[in-house]
Structures are given as structure tokens and as C-alpha cells.
Amino acid sequence: MKTTTYTARAIPPAALEELRATDDAGHPCVPFTDEEGGAPLRCCLRPSEPGERIALVSYAPLRRWAAETWAKPGAYDEQGPVFICARCDGPGGAAEAYPFARAGALRTVRRYDAEGRIVGGRLLEIPEDTAAGYEAAFAEAFADPEVALVHVRALEYGCFHFEVRRP
């Protein structure tokens, strides 16, 4: 794995344990067999394998971060669908530095302050050198001293991909 300045954070193990019982919308977790594979797993930051047991759950990343930091995101507290493994302990050593990075794909890089309010963002078209593209976007975000963390989301569906906190 290439060394990077910023760390892509997966859903933490304690949150995964809770999501595998009841998701952040209050629904029970219902694992299924992914026949095709390729679902972006937010627990271990890799695509699913064909035949793997996974679940689609509602996740509120800003709400969970706010609970750790005492932030008050208010209306910016949103939840959305993410895929997780039916069982895993998080990313292994072989995960990509910045997961789900495909040259040409469009991502939003949304910036939040210490209270959990959106303080900006940008569209990122992932370049051929995916790590360099993300590094530049995160450096730009954290150049603003107000920015405490960044969420990377898919443009097509708005799905949360991963979080990066101020180094």
C-alpha cells in the first residue's frame, strides 16, 4: 500500500457491531449473499467478493462522529445506505490507500467544522494517479483551519465512502 498523508477511515468495529443488529434508521440488519460481488464495503474498504455475505444498512457517519466529539451537526446529520460484511473486523493490511478510487469517477469531498456543520466541499474527478488526486483534495480541504473532517461520497448516489480526519 502506498504511504499517504491522510487516512481513509472505515466504519469502526463498535459501530459495525451495532449496525449488524439495528442500523441507524432503526431497521434490523438483513444479510444476503452477494452473487455478483463488487459492492463497496465500508467496513473493510474493499469490494465484496462473489458469494460473500453482506448487508445493506443505513449509516449516519456524522452522527456517530458527533457522539465522540460532542459536536452538534443539527440538520447536517444525514444517514444513507452502505454495504458492510456480515462479519469482519475492519480493514486488513491490503486495503487501498483511498478505496473505491477509479480514474474518471466523480466524488464529492464534503468538509465539516468541529460542530459538524458543512463548511464547503468540492467535486473531485478522480485522476489516473488516484492517490495524488485525493491527496490534493484533502490538502485543499485541511488548508482551511475550520475543517475538522471530510466525507468522501459517490456523486451518483450520494453514498458515503469513507471519512478523513484532520491529521
Side-chain angles (χ1 to χ4, degrees), residues 82-125:
V82 295
F83 289 103
I84 61 172
C85 294
R87 298 178 194 263
C88 87
D89 295 323
E96 290 293 318
Y98 298 121
F100 320 120
R102 184 180 81 260
L106 300 175
R107 300 289 181 258
T108 59
V109 179
R110 195 176 299 164
R111 305 165 188 177
Y112 295 90
D113 69 10
E115 284 299 311
R117 293 182 300 262
I118 294 175
V119 292
R122 74 178 294 245
L123 176 66
L124 172 66
E125 181 174 351

Short mmCIF file of all heavy atoms in Angstrom, two decimals, residues 82-125:
data_model
loop_
_atom_site.label_atom_id
_atom_site.label_comp_id
_atom_site.label_asym_id
_atom_site.label_seq_id
_atom_site.Cartn_x
_atom_site.Cartn_y
_atom_site.Cartn_z
N VAL A 82 -25.17 1.98 3.10
CA VAL A 82 -23.80 1.50 2.91
C VAL A 82 -23.82 -0.03 2.98
O VAL A 82 -24.65 -0.62 3.66
CB VAL A 82 -22.80 2.05 3.97
CG1 VAL A 82 -22.65 3.55 3.85
CG2 VAL A 82 -23.19 1.64 5.37
N PHE A 83 -22.89 -0.63 2.25
CA PHE A 83 -22.72 -2.08 2.33
C PHE A 83 -21.67 -2.39 3.39
O PHE A 83 -20.65 -1.70 3.49
CB PHE A 83 -22.24 -2.64 0.99
CG PHE A 83 -23.27 -2.63 -0.08
CD1 PHE A 83 -23.25 -1.66 -1.08
CD2 PHE A 83 -24.28 -3.59 -0.11
CE1 PHE A 83 -24.19 -1.63 -2.09
CE2 PHE A 83 -25.24 -3.57 -1.11
CZ PHE A 83 -25.20 -2.59 -2.10
N ILE A 84 -21.93 -3.44 4.17
CA ILE A 84 -20.97 -3.95 5.15
C ILE A 84 -20.92 -5.47 5.04
O ILE A 84 -21.87 -6.08 4.54
CB ILE A 84 -21.31 -3.53 6.60
CG1 ILE A 84 -22.67 -4.07 7.03
CG2 ILE A 84 -21.24 -2.01 6.75
CD1 ILE A 84 -23.01 -3.86 8.50
N CYS A 85 -19.83 -6.05 5.49
CA CYS A 85 -19.74 -7.51 5.55
C CYS A 85 -20.68 -8.01 6.65
O CYS A 85 -20.89 -7.33 7.65
CB CYS A 85 -18.32 -7.96 5.92
SG CYS A 85 -17.07 -7.58 4.70
N ALA A 86 -21.19 -9.22 6.47
CA ALA A 86 -22.00 -9.82 7.52
C ALA A 86 -21.12 -10.07 8.74
O ALA A 86 -21.61 -10.03 9.87
CB ALA A 86 -22.63 -11.11 7.03
N ARG A 87 -19.82 -10.30 8.50
CA ARG A 87 -18.85 -10.49 9.59
C ARG A 87 -17.48 -10.04 9.09
O ARG A 87 -17.03 -10.48 8.06
CB ARG A 87 -18.73 -11.95 9.99
CG ARG A 87 -19.96 -12.59 10.52
CD ARG A 87 -19.66 -14.06 10.82
NE ARG A 87 -20.87 -14.80 11.02
CZ ARG A 87 -21.37 -15.06 12.23
NH1 ARG A 87 -20.74 -14.66 13.29
NH2 ARG A 87 -22.49 -15.74 12.35
N CYS A 88 -16.85 -9.16 9.82
CA CYS A 88 -15.45 -8.79 9.59
C CYS A 88 -15.04 -7.86 10.72
O CYS A 88 -15.89 -7.34 11.44
CB CYS A 88 -15.20 -8.16 8.22
SG CYS A 88 -15.44 -6.40 8.11
N ASP A 89 -13.76 -7.65 10.85
CA ASP A 89 -13.26 -6.78 11.92
C ASP A 89 -12.70 -5.47 11.40
O ASP A 89 -11.99 -4.78 12.11
CB ASP A 89 -12.16 -7.52 12.71
CG ASP A 89 -12.71 -8.73 13.43
OD1 ASP A 89 -13.86 -8.66 13.92
OD2 ASP A 89 -12.01 -9.75 13.50
N GLY A 90 -12.97 -5.15 10.15
CA GLY A 90 -12.46 -3.90 9.59
C GLY A 90 -11.41 -4.15 8.54
O GLY A 90 -11.17 -5.28 8.13
N PRO A 91 -10.75 -3.07 8.11
CA PRO A 91 -9.78 -3.20 7.02
C PRO A 91 -8.59 -4.07 7.39
O PRO A 91 -8.12 -4.04 8.52
CB PRO A 91 -9.31 -1.77 6.77
CG PRO A 91 -10.23 -0.89 7.51
CD PRO A 91 -10.90 -1.72 8.56
N GLY A 92 -8.15 -4.84 6.42
CA GLY A 92 -6.91 -5.60 6.57
C GLY A 92 -5.76 -4.79 6.01
O GLY A 92 -5.94 -3.67 5.54
N GLY A 93 -4.59 -5.36 6.01
CA GLY A 93 -3.41 -4.65 5.54
C GLY A 93 -3.37 -4.41 4.04
O GLY A 93 -2.61 -3.60 3.56
N ALA A 94 -4.20 -5.10 3.26
CA ALA A 94 -4.13 -4.99 1.80
C ALA A 94 -5.08 -3.94 1.23
O ALA A 94 -5.19 -3.81 0.03
CB ALA A 94 -4.44 -6.35 1.18
N ALA A 95 -5.77 -3.19 2.07
CA ALA A 95 -6.72 -2.20 1.57
C ALA A 95 -6.00 -1.10 0.79
O ALA A 95 -4.86 -0.77 1.08
CB ALA A 95 -7.51 -1.59 2.74
N GLU A 96 -6.67 -0.55 -0.20
CA GLU A 96 -6.13 0.56 -0.97
C GLU A 96 -6.00 1.79 -0.06
O GLU A 96 -6.78 1.96 0.87
CB GLU A 96 -7.06 0.90 -2.13
CG GLU A 96 -7.09 -0.15 -3.22
CD GLU A 96 -5.78 -0.25 -3.96
OE1 GLU A 96 -5.18 0.79 -4.27
OE2 GLU A 96 -5.36 -1.37 -4.22
N ALA A 97 -5.04 2.65 -0.36
CA ALA A 97 -4.86 3.87 0.43
C ALA A 97 -6.15 4.68 0.43
O ALA A 97 -6.62 5.13 1.48
CB ALA A 97 -3.71 4.71 -0.14
N TYR A 98 -6.74 4.88 -0.74
CA TYR A 98 -8.01 5.57 -0.87
C TYR A 98 -8.93 4.64 -1.66
O TYR A 98 -8.80 4.48 -2.87
CB TYR A 98 -7.84 6.92 -1.56
CG TYR A 98 -6.94 7.84 -0.76
CD1 TYR A 98 -5.78 8.36 -1.30
CD2 TYR A 98 -7.25 8.16 0.56
CE1 TYR A 98 -4.95 9.19 -0.55
CE2 TYR A 98 -6.43 8.98 1.32
CZ TYR A 98 -5.29 9.49 0.75
OH TYR A 98 -4.48 10.31 1.51
N PRO A 99 -9.84 3.98 -0.96
CA PRO A 99 -10.64 2.91 -1.58
C PRO A 99 -11.67 3.42 -2.57
O PRO A 99 -12.04 4.59 -2.56
CB PRO A 99 -11.31 2.26 -0.37
CG PRO A 99 -11.37 3.33 0.65
CD PRO A 99 -10.14 4.17 0.44
N PHE A 100 -12.12 2.49 -3.41
CA PHE A 100 -13.18 2.73 -4.38
C PHE A 100 -12.79 3.84 -5.35
O PHE A 100 -13.64 4.56 -5.85
CB PHE A 100 -14.52 3.04 -3.69
CG PHE A 100 -14.78 2.20 -2.47
CD1 PHE A 100 -14.96 2.77 -1.23
CD2 PHE A 100 -14.80 0.81 -2.56
CE1 PHE A 100 -15.18 2.00 -0.11
CE2 PHE A 100 -15.02 0.02 -1.44
CZ PHE A 100 -15.21 0.62 -0.21
N ALA A 101 -11.48 3.97 -5.59
CA ALA A 101 -10.96 5.02 -6.47
C ALA A 101 -10.79 4.44 -7.87
O ALA A 101 -10.01 3.53 -8.08
CB ALA A 101 -9.64 5.54 -5.94
N ARG A 102 -11.54 4.97 -8.78
CA ARG A 102 -11.49 4.56 -10.18
C ARG A 102 -11.29 5.82 -11.01
O ARG A 102 -12.09 6.76 -10.90
CB ARG A 102 -12.79 3.84 -10.53
CG ARG A 102 -12.86 3.27 -11.90
CD ARG A 102 -14.23 2.59 -12.14
NE ARG A 102 -15.27 3.55 -12.49
CZ ARG A 102 -16.20 4.07 -11.67
NH1 ARG A 102 -16.24 3.70 -10.41
NH2 ARG A 102 -17.09 4.93 -12.08
N ALA A 103 -10.24 5.86 -11.77
CA ALA A 103 -9.98 7.05 -12.59
C ALA A 103 -11.23 7.42 -13.39
O ALA A 103 -11.87 6.55 -13.98
CB ALA A 103 -8.81 6.80 -13.53
N GLY A 104 -11.59 8.71 -13.34
CA GLY A 104 -12.76 9.20 -14.04
C GLY A 104 -14.02 9.24 -13.20
O GLY A 104 -14.99 9.91 -13.55
N ALA A 105 -14.04 8.50 -12.08
CA ALA A 105 -15.22 8.50 -11.20
C ALA A 105 -15.35 9.87 -10.53
O ALA A 105 -14.36 10.56 -10.29
CB ALA A 105 -15.10 7.40 -10.15
N LEU A 106 -16.57 10.25 -10.24
CA LEU A 106 -16.83 11.53 -9.60
C LEU A 106 -17.16 11.33 -8.13
O LEU A 106 -17.97 10.47 -7.77
CB LEU A 106 -18.00 12.25 -10.29
CG LEU A 106 -17.79 12.55 -11.77
CD1 LEU A 106 -19.06 13.14 -12.37
CD2 LEU A 106 -16.62 13.50 -11.96
N ARG A 107 -16.52 12.13 -7.29
CA ARG A 107 -16.74 12.08 -5.84
C ARG A 107 -16.99 13.48 -5.32
O ARG A 107 -16.47 14.46 -5.88
CB ARG A 107 -15.53 11.50 -5.11
CG ARG A 107 -15.15 10.09 -5.51
CD ARG A 107 -16.17 9.08 -5.02
NE ARG A 107 -15.80 7.73 -5.37
CZ ARG A 107 -16.34 7.05 -6.37
NH1 ARG A 107 -17.27 7.61 -7.12
NH2 ARG A 107 -15.96 5.82 -6.64
N THR A 108 -17.75 13.60 -4.27
CA THR A 108 -17.84 14.85 -3.54
C THR A 108 -16.94 14.72 -2.33
O THR A 108 -16.86 13.67 -1.69
CB THR A 108 -19.28 15.19 -3.08
OG1 THR A 108 -19.76 14.15 -2.25
CG2 THR A 108 -20.20 15.36 -4.27
N VAL A 109 -16.23 15.78 -2.05
CA VAL A 109 -15.35 15.85 -0.88
C VAL A 109 -15.97 16.94 0.00
O VAL A 109 -15.79 18.12 -0.24
CB VAL A 109 -13.90 16.19 -1.30
CG1 VAL A 109 -12.99 16.29 -0.08
CG2 VAL A 109 -13.38 15.14 -2.28
N ARG A 110 -16.77 16.49 0.97
CA ARG A 110 -17.55 17.41 1.79
C ARG A 110 -16.82 17.70 3.09
O ARG A 110 -16.39 16.80 3.79
CB ARG A 110 -18.91 16.79 2.09
CG ARG A 110 -19.89 17.78 2.63
CD ARG A 110 -21.26 17.20 2.84
NE ARG A 110 -21.84 16.70 1.61
CZ ARG A 110 -22.90 15.89 1.59
NH1 ARG A 110 -23.45 15.49 2.71
NH2 ARG A 110 -23.38 15.48 0.45
N ARG A 111 -16.69 19.00 3.41
CA ARG A 111 -15.93 19.45 4.58
C ARG A 111 -16.87 19.83 5.73
O ARG A 111 -17.88 20.48 5.50
CB ARG A 111 -15.12 20.69 4.20
CG ARG A 111 -14.23 20.46 3.00
CD ARG A 111 -13.73 21.78 2.46
NE ARG A 111 -13.03 21.56 1.20
CZ ARG A 111 -12.56 22.53 0.47
NH1 ARG A 111 -12.69 23.79 0.84
NH2 ARG A 111 -11.94 22.26 -0.66
N TYR A 112 -16.47 19.45 6.95
CA TYR A 112 -17.24 19.76 8.14
C TYR A 112 -16.36 20.44 9.18
O TYR A 112 -15.18 20.11 9.32
CB TYR A 112 -17.81 18.49 8.77
CG TYR A 112 -18.81 17.78 7.89
CD1 TYR A 112 -18.40 16.81 6.98
CD2 TYR A 112 -20.16 18.08 7.96
CE1 TYR A 112 -19.31 16.15 6.18
CE2 TYR A 112 -21.08 17.43 7.16
CZ TYR A 112 -20.66 16.47 6.27
OH TYR A 112 -21.56 15.83 5.47
N ASP A 113 -16.95 21.37 9.94
CA ASP A 113 -16.22 22.01 11.03
C ASP A 113 -16.37 21.20 12.32
O ASP A 113 -17.01 20.13 12.33
CB ASP A 113 -16.66 23.48 11.21
CG ASP A 113 -18.06 23.66 11.76
OD1 ASP A 113 -18.71 22.68 12.19
OD2 ASP A 113 -18.53 24.81 11.76
N ALA A 114 -15.80 21.68 13.41
CA ALA A 114 -15.79 20.95 14.68
C ALA A 114 -17.18 20.78 15.27
O ALA A 114 -17.39 19.92 16.13
CB ALA A 114 -14.88 21.66 15.68
N GLU A 115 -18.15 21.57 14.83
CA GLU A 115 -19.53 21.42 15.29
C GLU A 115 -20.33 20.48 14.39
O GLU A 115 -21.49 20.18 14.68
CB GLU A 115 -20.23 22.77 15.37
CG GLU A 115 -19.81 23.57 16.57
CD GLU A 115 -20.12 22.86 17.89
OE1 GLU A 115 -21.26 22.39 18.08
OE2 GLU A 115 -19.21 22.79 18.72
N GLY A 116 -19.73 20.04 13.28
CA GLY A 116 -20.43 19.14 12.37
C GLY A 116 -21.24 19.86 11.30
O GLY A 116 -22.08 19.24 10.65
N ARG A 117 -20.97 21.14 11.09
CA ARG A 117 -21.65 21.89 10.03
C ARG A 117 -20.81 21.84 8.76
O ARG A 117 -19.59 21.90 8.81
CB ARG A 117 -21.86 23.34 10.47
CG ARG A 117 -22.86 23.48 11.62
CD ARG A 117 -23.07 24.93 11.98
NE ARG A 117 -21.83 25.57 12.38
CZ ARG A 117 -21.43 25.77 13.64
NH1 ARG A 117 -22.21 25.37 14.62
NH2 ARG A 117 -20.29 26.35 13.91
N ILE A 118 -21.49 21.79 7.62
CA ILE A 118 -20.79 21.81 6.34
C ILE A 118 -20.17 23.19 6.14
O ILE A 118 -20.85 24.20 6.29
CB ILE A 118 -21.74 21.48 5.17
CG1 ILE A 118 -22.22 20.04 5.28
CG2 ILE A 118 -21.05 21.71 3.82
CD1 ILE A 118 -23.26 19.66 4.24
N VAL A 119 -18.87 23.20 5.84
CA VAL A 119 -18.17 24.46 5.59
C VAL A 119 -17.55 24.49 4.19
O VAL A 119 -16.65 25.27 3.93
CB VAL A 119 -17.10 24.76 6.67
CG1 VAL A 119 -17.76 25.05 8.00
CG2 VAL A 119 -16.10 23.62 6.80
N GLY A 120 -18.05 23.66 3.32
CA GLY A 120 -17.57 23.66 1.95
C GLY A 120 -17.45 22.26 1.41
O GLY A 120 -17.75 21.27 2.08
N GLY A 121 -17.01 22.21 0.22
CA GLY A 121 -16.82 20.93 -0.44
C GLY A 121 -16.41 21.17 -1.87
O GLY A 121 -16.32 22.31 -2.33
N ARG A 122 -16.16 20.08 -2.55
CA ARG A 122 -15.80 20.20 -3.95
C ARG A 122 -16.07 18.89 -4.66
O ARG A 122 -16.17 17.84 -4.05
CB ARG A 122 -14.33 20.59 -4.11
CG ARG A 122 -13.35 19.47 -3.80
CD ARG A 122 -11.91 19.87 -4.00
NE ARG A 122 -11.58 20.13 -5.36
CZ ARG A 122 -10.71 19.42 -6.07
NH1 ARG A 122 -10.09 18.40 -5.53
NH2 ARG A 122 -10.46 19.73 -7.32
N LEU A 123 -16.19 19.01 -5.95
CA LEU A 123 -16.32 17.86 -6.82
C LEU A 123 -14.92 17.39 -7.17
O LEU A 123 -14.05 18.22 -7.47
CB LEU A 123 -17.08 18.26 -8.10
CG LEU A 123 -17.21 17.19 -9.16
CD1 LEU A 123 -18.07 16.04 -8.66
CD2 LEU A 123 -17.83 17.81 -10.42
N LEU A 124 -14.69 16.11 -7.11
CA LEU A 124 -13.40 15.54 -7.49
C LEU A 124 -13.63 14.51 -8.59
O LEU A 124 -14.35 13.54 -8.38
CB LEU A 124 -12.73 14.87 -6.29
CG LEU A 124 -11.46 14.05 -6.58
CD1 LEU A 124 -10.34 14.96 -7.07
CD2 LEU A 124 -11.04 13.27 -5.35
N GLU A 125 -13.04 14.77 -9.75
CA GLU A 125 -12.98 13.73 -10.77
C GLU A 125 -11.66 13.02 -10.54
O GLU A 125 -10.58 13.64 -10.65
CB GLU A 125 -13.04 14.31 -12.18
CG GLU A 125 -13.01 13.22 -13.22
CD GLU A 125 -13.20 13.71 -14.65
OE1 GLU A 125 -13.53 14.90 -14.84
OE2 GLU A 125 -13.04 12.90 -15.56
#
